[in-house]
């Protein structure tokens, strides 16, 4: 049986796809057979971030409609042979996703995979609903910014009331906070909500903080998940997150401002 | 504390303002999102019934749903008019 993880946020542009790609690659690199599915029908992007956009022949909707088998649609990642990508359809209407269809694909994948990452679209419409409906764990990607925190809170309400686990009165979805685009310098200046602030408002278990980083754009430019850029701060942050999720004890990093010489001179403490 | 910190803390930071606004908003939205779907309809029908007997305003009635652990309470509050001549 696979563990199904939804990467969600409510708000768009906070880093869901970047996170899905990084986490999926991280889990696969740790030796777990992992599939990552793009639920954003009509606006697919995971294939670009994973660098497999030219190898998409069949997609998620083709599989649901029986026009292709799972094996035909799954794209083997070029960097890791334990990682497979299922692209969203770019042409179909988003109503093409049916609950039964998604459930069947996830069931079939579960037989063969250890982890299934569901990359949710923004919003709380059908695609987002189906991405989280079957989940066991939820990674709530949040930016330290008012609209993102508010939308995350709304998403938490939906996770706890509208998921399969909630409807069947099972143990609730395990929810984790991933704070992305974090800038310790700005937090220190009182210009940005701190990790503690966001945790206090959302009361969520913090899985990790990903700092605002140039490496994220570099990674998406070249279609290589940022976690493979092992020298970068964001890459290391995602590696820590994967390790923590798998139960390793990693102290949190990238939360404090590393002050330079002038910072020390004027900053005190 | 350095001299620079003194100036930094002299005015409220935008981050603490953001936190305060979010805490109020999120608390409010959690309450309204957790309410059962039937609540507005219930409120409307109760009002209709009460207005058959007493002249009350639309906002004279409040229906509150609260959840505390496993216990759910439905609180109904009706403000009768001060002017007794308005009653039937």
């Amino acid at each position: 049986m696979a563990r199904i993880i939804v990467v969600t946020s409510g708000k768009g542009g906070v880093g869901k796809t970047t996170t899905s790609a990084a986490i999926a690659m991280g889990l696969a690199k740790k030796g777990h057979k992992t599939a990552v599915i793009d639920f954003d029908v009509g606006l697919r992007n995971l294939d670009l971030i994973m660098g497999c956009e030219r190898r998409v022949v069949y997609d998620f909707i083709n599989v649901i409609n029986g026009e292709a088998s799972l094996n035909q649609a799954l794209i083997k990642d070029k960097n890791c042979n334990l990682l497979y990508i299922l692209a969203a359809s770019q042409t179909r209407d988003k109503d093409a996703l049916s609950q039964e269809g998604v459930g069947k694909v996830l069931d079939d994948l579960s037989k063969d995979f250890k982890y299934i990452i569901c990359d949710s679209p923004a919003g709380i419409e059908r695609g987002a609903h189906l991405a989280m409906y079957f989940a066991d764990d939820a990674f709530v990607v949040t930016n330290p910014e008012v609209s993102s925190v508010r939308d995350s809170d709304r998403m938490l309400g939906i996770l706890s009331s509208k998921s399969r686990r909630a409807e069947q009165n099972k143990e609730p979805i395990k929810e984790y906070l991933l704070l992305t685009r974090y800038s310790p310098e700005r937090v220190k200046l009182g210009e940005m909500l701190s990790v503690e602030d966001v945790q206090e408002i959302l009361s969520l278990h913090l899985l990790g903080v990903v700092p605002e980083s140039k490496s994220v754009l570099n990674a998406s430019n070249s279609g290589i998940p940022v976690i493979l850029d092992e020298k970068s701060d964001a890459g290391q942050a995602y590696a820590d997150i994967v390790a923590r999720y798998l139960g390793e004890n990693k102290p949190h990093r990238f939360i404090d401002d590393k002050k330079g010489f002038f910072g020390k001179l004027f900053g005190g403490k | 504390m350095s001299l620079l910190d003194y100036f930094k803390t002299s005015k409220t930071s935008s981050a603490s303002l953001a936190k305060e606004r979010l805490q109020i908003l999120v608390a409010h939205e959690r309450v309204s999102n957790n309410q059962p779907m039937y609540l507005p309809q219930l409120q409307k029908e109760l009002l209709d019934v009460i207005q058959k007997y007493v002249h009350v305003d639309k906002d004279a009635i409040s229906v509150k749903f609260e959840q505390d652990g496993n216990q759910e309470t439905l609180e109904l509050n009706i403000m009768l008019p001060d002017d007794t001549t308005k009653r039937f």
Side-chain angles (χ1 to χ4, degrees), chain A residues 145-147 149-150 153-154 156 188-194 196-197 200-203 266-269, chain B residues 1-5 8 12-23 25-27 29-30 33-34:
Chain A
E145 178 269 326
V146 284
S147 53
V149 175
R150 179 199 210 172
D153 189 68
R154 182 85 179 89
L156 289 171
K188 189 155 187 296
L189 290 170
E191 295 175 355
M192 184 181 267
L193 290 164
S194 69
E196 294 81 18
D197 291 341
E200 198 184 318
I201 294 162
L202 297 177
S203 355
F266 294 108
K269 280 185 193 166
Chain B
M1 200 157 104
S2 77
L3 197 63
L4 214 65
D5 280 345
K8 265 188 248 166
T12 326
S13 69
S14 65
S16 57
L17 192 62
K19 186 185 178 186
E20 203 184 304
R21 290 173 62 215
L22 270 172
Q23 278 173 325
L25 182 72
V26 160
E29 287 184 340
R30 273 181 198 160
N33 283 330
N34 285 334

Side-chain angles (χ1 to χ4, degrees), chain A residues 149-164:
Chain A
V149 175
R150 179 199 210 172
D151 290 359
S152 292
D153 189 68
R154 182 85 179 89
M155 210 60 226
L156 289 171
I158 293 169
L159 286 168
S160 63
S161 60
K162 305 265 165 66
S163 63
R164 178 170 66 171

Side-chain angles (χ1 to χ4, degrees), chain A:
Chain A
M1 269 305 274
R3 193 92 187 152
I4 301 174
I5 304 170
V6 61
V7 178
T8 187
S9 70
K11 191 177 180 297
V14 296
K16 279 183 298 297
T17 302
T18 299
T19 298
S20 298
I23 300 291
M25 179 61 79
L27 287 168
K29 281 272 173 192
K30 288 266 191 183
H32 305 291
K33 196 172 180 189
T34 302
V36 57
I37 308 176
D38 192 347
F39 275 76
D40 206 344
V41 174
L43 290 169
R44 79 167 173 228
N45 277 317
L46 180 70
D47 53 336
L48 262 181
I49 303 299
M50 301 288 304
C52 65
E53 70 276 10
R54 291 168 65 180
R55 291 194 288 143
V56 180
V57 181
Y58 295 111
D59 58 53
F60 195 11
I61 304 285
N62 290 139
V63 179
I64 287 176
N65 291 345
E67 295 152 1
S69 70
L70 251 180
N71 282 333
Q72 285 176 303
L74 283 169
I75 304 163
K76 193 179 200 167
D77 186 80
K78 60 190 174 201
N79 293 300
C80 182
N81 60 8
L82 289 175
L83 178 58
Y84 290 81
I85 299 120
L86 187 53
S89 171
Q90 187 67 323
T91 49
R92 304 295 179 89
D93 189 67
K94 57 180 184 297
D95 291 332
L97 282 181
S98 67
Q99 185 158 305
E100 305 73 47
V102 172
K104 172 83 169 50
V105 171
L106 291 177
D107 269 353
D108 289 349
L109 282 172
S110 280
K111 290 171 196 148
D112 200 23
F113 286 83
K114 184 80 187 292
Y115 292 101
I116 302 169
I117 315 291
C118 301
D119 181 20
S120 174
I124 49 175
E125 303 295 318
R126 188 177 190 82
H129 175 79
L130 288 173
M132 68 90 200
Y133 185 75
F134 298 95
D136 301 304
D137 299 315
F139 289 2
V140 180
V141 182
T142 308
N143 291 167
E145 178 269 326
V146 284
S147 53
S148 174
V149 175
R150 179 199 210 172
D151 290 359
S152 292
D153 189 68
R154 182 85 179 89
M155 210 60 226
L156 289 171
I158 293 169
L159 286 168
S160 63
S161 60
K162 305 265 165 66
S163 63
R164 178 170 66 171
R165 282 175 173 268
E167 284 177 6
Q168 297 181 351
N169 266 321
K170 288 193 177 150
E171 196 186 327
I173 294 176
K174 278 208 182 90
E175 301 156 342
Y176 300 93
L177 172 65
L178 269 79
L179 199 59
T180 55
R181 307 199 67 167
Y182 195 71
S183 171
E185 307 82 44
R186 302 201 70 187
V187 171
K188 189 155 187 296
L189 290 170
E191 295 175 355
M192 184 181 267
L193 290 164
S194 69
V195 191
E196 294 81 18
D197 291 341
V198 178
Q199 264 187 289
E200 198 184 318
I201 294 162
L202 297 177
S203 355
L204 266 187
H205 177 75
L206 178 71
L207 200 55
V209 174
V210 181
E212 173 80 58
S213 169
K214 287 178 181 171
S215 57
V216 173
L217 185 58
N218 280 330
S220 77
N221 284 344
S222 41
I224 299 165
V226 70
I227 197 168
L228 293 178
D229 185 355
E230 289 164 15
K231 288 201 180 92
S232 72
D233 46 2
Q236 290 172 17
Y238 278 117
D240 283 5
I241 284 168
V242 170
R244 275 186 213 111
Y245 175 71
L246 293 173
E248 288 176 45
N249 187 14
K250 292 256 179 192
H252 285 285
R253 293 194 277 170
F254 313 109
I255 292 176
D256 294 317
D257 184 20
K258 282 188 209 76
K259 280 179 285 191
F261 172 71
F262 284 101
K264 282 194 184 114
L265 197 66
F266 294 108
K269 280 185 193 166

